[in-house]
Amino acid sequence: MNTPVLYIVIPCYNEQEVLPVTSGMFLEKINSLIAKGRVAPESRVVFVNDGSKDNTWNIIQELANSDEHFEGVCLSRNRGHQNALLGGLMTVKDRCDITISIDCDGQDDINAMDAMVDAYWDGCEVVYGVRSKRDTDTFFKRFTAEGFYKLMNWMGAQVVFNHADYRLMSSRVLNEFANFKEVNIFLRGMVPLVGFKSTSVYYERAERIAGESHYPLKKMLALAFDGITSLSVKPIRLITGFGALISVISFVGVIWAVVEAILGSTVAGWASTTSIVCFMGGIQLLCLGVIGEYIGKIYLETKQRPRYIIEKCTWNRENSQK
């Protein structure tokens, strides 16, 4: 096997505080891998600017001018973490042999990259970075995060437990992944669908080095809902099953009401009637909301709008749409 060219792809959104700190860490790591002969000297660190409103892109350009191992990709506007990461991966897939995606906040242990590259040398096409424990998280954060992965798997979106978007993928995997054309993307659940030999590397996650998290509870819940509705129809099936159960109970209730009426033992009451009507109305609205979410995704898919638009790259590659 030839020494692979590695591109570390890092999505960035308003990261002017943390980028000057973590960029040096990424440069040191890629130089270390090059010195050990694990990756080729042509390997690069690629920052993907996701329409940042601060000085992030200027910092990326300065880094690219200061060292040949730094490169930058700028999206035309903010498209969200998943689309920014996908845009970076698809832009570099023909320039390298392997990619490692990681966030730029310094929480993921960059030393796990050594084990990822070793696993690639051993024949793995996909290597997942998995958190071994969550000691640095608060109880609420740990409870909600682990509940997120359990909910995803229970709902039919098969994801690797405690794995975010820290992973190694070969160019072969990326070329196959390029055939996935859906607009609503959830990479944590989509990458396992590609297949090929894979493994996991475990590491301890640290606290964010600087700046604020861009994934509060609200965004985490939205991400979970997007992932479930993009990868699974189980919620629709649950609604169908629940509707069938309510229908059976209602049918039994109707028979009971008819029998009571014939026997003349019915007592008029508005409280029970109101409660049932409100309960059923709430259930119906909830079900309509879930169904509407799926219909909305179908609507977006049929438009086939580009998932991202590359405005410019530091290597002067032609602007492109994907």
Side-chain angles (χ1 to χ4, degrees):
M1 181 187 295
N2 296 326
T3 305
V5 175
L6 165 67
Y7 271 46
I8 302 175
V9 180
I10 309 165
C12 304
Y13 176 68
N14 292 345
E15 300 289 4
Q16 65 178 12
E17 295 181 15
V18 72
L19 198 53
V21 180
T22 56
S23 59
M25 298 166 53
F26 293 125
L27 179 60
E28 181 180 354
K29 172 52 61 178
I30 204 164
N31 282 330
S32 173
L33 291 169
I34 292 172
K36 294 176 182 177
R38 306 305 289 169
V39 300
E42 296 81 15
S43 299
R44 298 289 184 265
V45 177
V46 181
F47 298 104
V48 183
N49 178 43
D50 184 22
S52 298
K53 298 178 181 178
D54 60 5
N55 202 40
T56 296
W57 177 243
N58 291 331
I59 295 174
I60 293 173
Q61 289 180 306
E62 291 173 2
L63 290 171
N65 292 330
S66 67
D67 194 290
E68 64 178 359
H69 291 103
F70 286 127
E71 297 286 5
V73 175
C74 186
L75 302 190
S76 62
R77 70 175 183 87
N78 177 255
R79 296 307 302 264
H81 179 274
Q82 297 290 281
N83 284 303
L85 178 54
L86 177 67
L89 292 172
M90 293 296 103
T91 303
V92 305
K93 68 181 179 65
D94 297 325
R95 302 171 62 92
C96 61
D97 300 304
I98 52 176
T99 63
I100 293 179
S101 58
I102 187 173
D103 291 337
C104 70
D105 54 19
Q107 288 187 280
D108 296 318
D109 184 9
I110 61 173
N111 292 318
M113 291 184 185
D114 295 76
M116 290 182 173
V117 174
D118 289 343
Y120 171 76
W121 278 94
D122 290 337
C124 292
E125 303 277 359
V126 181
V127 185
Y128 301 102
V130 179
R131 294 185 64 169
S132 58
K133 54 185 179 180
R134 290 181 172 270
D135 292 346
T136 58
D137 290 346
T138 63
F139 171 78
F140 180 76
K141 174 65 175 178
R142 182 167 59 252
F143 176 78
T144 54
E146 292 183 350
F148 163 81
Y149 291 103
K150 292 178 181 178
L151 176 65
M152 292 291 294
N153 282 299
W154 184 72
M155 281 292 186
Q158 299 300 317
V159 296
V160 178
F161 188 75
N162 271 340
H163 162 71
D165 288 298
Y166 187 18
R167 70 179 73 87
L168 177 148
M169 289 191 288
S170 68
S171 58
R172 182 185 182 189
V173 173
L174 289 174
N175 285 326
E176 295 298 333
F177 193 77
N179 295 321
F180 287 60
K181 301 299 184 181
E182 57 257 49
V183 175
N184 302 283
I185 61 172
F186 182 71
L187 298 178
R188 302 179 197 184
M190 293 171 64
V191 172
L193 297 178
V194 181
F196 296 109
K197 184 178 180 181
S198 64
T199 188
S200 296
V201 169
Y202 296 88
Y203 68 95
E204 294 184 19
R205 202 166 192 239
E207 295 182 359
R208 185 181 177 92
I209 292 180
E212 298 181 355
S213 172
H214 300 304
Y215 263 93
L217 178 61
K218 182 179 179 180
K219 280 194 174 182
M220 183 62 73
L221 291 175
L223 180 65
F225 198 63
D226 279 342
I228 292 169
T229 53
S230 296
L231 297 168
S232 172
V233 295
K234 190 171 183 179
I236 298 291
R237 292 173 179 169
L238 288 175
I239 288 175
T240 303
F242 187 71
L245 176 63
I246 294 296
S247 297
V248 171
I249 295 175
S250 299
F251 181 71
V252 173
V254 169
I255 295 176
W256 173 79
V258 171
V259 171
E260 289 293 305
I262 293 174
L263 295 177
S265 58
T266 57
V267 178
W270 62 270
S272 59
T273 302
T274 302
S275 299
I276 293 173
V277 169
C278 291
F279 173 75
M280 292 303 300
I283 293 297
Q284 288 174 346
L285 289 175
L286 176 62
C287 294
L288 285 174
V290 174
I291 295 172
E293 181 70 20
Y294 279 94
I295 294 174
K297 288 187 178 297
I298 294 172
Y299 173 70
L300 292 175
E301 292 291 344
T302 57
K303 287 179 175 293
Q304 296 184 338
R305 290 173 176 169
R307 294 169 291 188
Y308 58 88
I309 299 175
I310 304 299
E311 180 179 353
K312 50 191 170 183
C313 304
T314 55
W315 57 78
N316 296 323
R317 187 173 179 174
E318 291 184 3
N319 298 346
S320 60
Q321 293 186 3
K322 299 292 182 182

